[in-house]
Amino acid sequence: MSKSLLSLAVAAFVLGGCSLIPDYQQPAAPVAGQYPQGPAYSSAQAPSQAAAEQGWKQFFHDPALQQMIQVALENNRDLRVAALNIDAYAAQYRIQRADLFPVVTANGSGSRQRLPADASTSGKAGISSSYSATVGISAYELDLFGRVRSLSEEALQKYFSTEEARRSTQISLVASVANAYLTWQADKELLKLTQDTLGAFEESYKLTARSNEVGVASALDLAQSRTSVENARAQLAKYTRQVAQDENSLVLLLGTGVPANLQAAKPLSDDLLSDVPPGLPSDLLQRRPDILQAEYNLKAANANIGAARAAFFPSISLTANAGTLSPDLSGLFKGVGYLAVLAADQPANLQRRQPARQPGLLENPERHRRGELREVHSNGLPGSRRRPGRPPDLHRAVAGAA
């Protein structure tokens, strides 16, 4: 009997190191080995600071925009949900990993019973006592083919994917706040320009009206001047509404109102953004959180394949209990009576043990890489970099109106 148990233990230990997870190979990036060359591309220059190490505070130079982004990071609801998802997946990983270890239970019980004389076989009243203590494990699955470890690895990769999703949400939030802020500032300058233009048209209309009264200007000139004034008023109403909408969109991203102590904003003519030098290696794309999230999801699916393969093989669940019995509490652990039970069970329903397939688990990291490569190539062209929300020739129009 002892040799059989020893053989079973050795076999379980050897098979416990088995894993049916396929060897993961990172897909080769469908990109060129070097940066494109030609007259359309600027010569690559070594950046003074690594692009991946540059934070948003170093990228945005406007103190008002920096304050807006900080407020959004502290109050945005989507970012809070992403952070809570990390805690949820971390707890799920700990739950799944706990299946690798047996659950040990311990119970103790005691009873005392008084038998009256008429119910006793001896004809005398008496008191009987019984005490017991048991310890054991229940339905512990021997992970012979790595099914439990595969599910644990899948939960771990999902946890990593959720962390990258939070980073991606944060980066998207920073970019959205910056776009909304710059659009807000641009529309405010357009509103000011429209107000100045309306004032100039009104003065011109007054002069045309006086000229018409003395017979210098015709009725057609007066009508054209009036049309210019009405068009300017329509543009004024348009940009007034647009500025209000921009502020509402910004408030939605911030998760709170615009700070009352907002710092003075820099004009759009200043250099508000840091320049990203062209010629950076395409390997930097692999550090993007959305690409890392897709790759972690791919690793989780790879681990799920190992769990699905292991489900085709038999599974053994182990149940063991050991305990002691004694009529006296003081003699409970003095060897009065022992009880030991060892049982192994093989579930017959394999369908129950197959891991559930989760929709939307697989993503294509190649799609992310191709899309980001197109952005790198297009943004690397001279003159292709435009600041979000900044209309072209805005300041030239302001200077001309002045």
Side-chain angles (χ1 to χ4, degrees):
M1 180 65 180
S2 60
K3 291 183 178 180
S4 301
L5 293 177
L6 180 60
S7 300
L8 180 61
V10 171
F13 177 77
V14 173
L15 293 176
C18 297
S19 177
L20 300 180
I21 300 177
D23 293 335
Y24 175 78
Q25 301 292 336
Q26 186 179 34
V31 297
Q34 59 183 2
Y35 197 76
Q37 303 294 330
Y41 298 93
S42 302
S43 59
Q45 299 177 358
S48 58
Q49 184 181 10
E53 298 176 357
Q54 187 178 18
W56 60 266
K57 290 185 178 180
Q58 290 77 31
F59 184 76
F60 300 108
H61 301 160
D62 190 349
L65 176 56
Q66 292 179 356
Q67 184 178 358
M68 288 279 195
I69 294 176
Q70 186 63 42
V71 171
L73 293 178
E74 295 174 356
N75 298 277
N76 185 264
R77 303 301 188 269
D78 293 336
L79 193 59
R80 290 181 181 179
V81 171
L84 293 175
N85 285 336
I86 295 178
D87 296 337
Y89 275 91
Q92 185 64 35
Y93 165 66
R94 289 192 292 267
I95 293 173
Q96 186 63 56
R97 187 174 180 270
D99 291 340
L100 292 171
F101 308 99
V103 179
V104 180
T105 59
N107 296 311
S109 63
S111 64
R112 289 175 60 86
Q113 183 180 7
R114 182 182 183 278
L115 293 177
D118 54 355
S120 176
T121 57
S122 61
K124 297 180 180 180
I127 297 177
S128 62
S129 302
S130 176
Y131 300 94
S132 66
T134 59
V135 61
I137 58 176
S138 177
Y140 171 61
E141 180 180 349
L142 298 178
D143 197 19
L144 302 180
F145 300 98
R147 189 187 74 90
V148 179
R149 285 194 305 277
S150 297
L151 294 177
S152 178
E153 179 67 18
E154 180 188 10
L156 179 62
Q157 297 301 328
K158 287 182 179 179
Y159 164 65
F160 291 154
S161 173
T162 310
E163 172 63 28
E164 297 302 331
R166 186 203 62 82
R167 289 182 54 209
S168 179
T169 303
Q170 178 173 334
I171 293 176
S172 299
L173 175 62
V174 171
S176 299
V177 171
N179 286 330
Y181 172 80
L182 293 176
T183 302
W184 182 42
Q185 293 297 323
D187 288 340
K188 287 173 66 175
E189 292 204 10
L190 285 174
L191 177 60
K192 184 177 183 303
L193 176 62
T194 304
Q195 291 173 345
D196 296 340
T197 302
L198 177 60
F201 282 157
E202 288 177 344
E203 293 296 329
S204 176
Y205 174 75
K206 293 179 181 179
L207 294 176
T208 304
R210 293 176 183 177
S211 299
N212 179 261
E213 291 176 357
V214 297
V216 176
S218 64
L220 178 61
D221 295 334
L222 182 62
Q224 290 177 344
S225 179
R226 184 184 299 109
T227 301
S228 298
V229 172
E230 296 301 328
N231 288 336
R233 288 176 179 173
Q235 291 295 318
L236 180 62
K238 171 186 174 181
Y239 286 114
T240 301
R241 182 177 63 255
Q242 189 65 42
V243 168
Q245 292 177 351
D246 294 340
E247 185 175 357
N248 292 336
S249 301
L250 190 58
V251 168
L252 182 62
L253 290 172
L254 295 180
T256 183
V258 177
N261 58 343
L262 186 64
Q263 301 184 27
K266 288 185 176 181
L268 293 179
S269 57
D270 291 355
D271 190 11
L272 302 182
L273 307 177
S274 297
D275 292 326
V276 177
L280 295 176
S282 59
D283 292 342
L284 288 178
L285 297 178
Q286 298 180 0
R287 303 178 63 176
R288 286 177 55 105
D290 53 347
I291 295 179
L292 290 177
Q293 178 187 1
E295 188 165 4
Y296 282 131
N297 284 337
L298 185 60
K299 291 180 179 180
N302 192 64
N304 187 270
I305 293 175
R309 288 178 175 178
F312 286 101
F313 296 91
S315 174
I316 299 177
S317 297
L318 185 64
T319 299
N321 289 283
T324 178
L325 298 173
S326 175
D328 299 320
L329 183 61
S330 59
L332 184 60
F333 299 102
K334 293 183 178 181
V336 176
Y338 291 101
L339 173 64
V341 177
L342 177 63
D345 177 38
Q346 178 182 345
N349 186 6
L350 296 181
Q351 183 66 27
R352 181 178 60 85
R353 297 187 293 106
Q354 291 181 358
R357 183 174 181 178
Q358 299 185 4
L361 181 64
L362 292 177
E363 292 186 21
N364 186 5
E366 306 296 338
R367 174 174 57 84
H368 292 273
R369 290 174 181 168
R370 286 195 295 265
E372 301 309 326
L373 186 64
R374 285 194 296 267
E375 292 183 9
V376 170
H377 284 178
S378 61
N379 292 337
L381 295 175
S384 63
R385 176 175 174 268
R386 292 185 179 179
R387 293 171 183 168
R390 180 177 179 180
D393 299 333
L394 172 62
H395 297 282
R396 186 182 304 172
V398 175

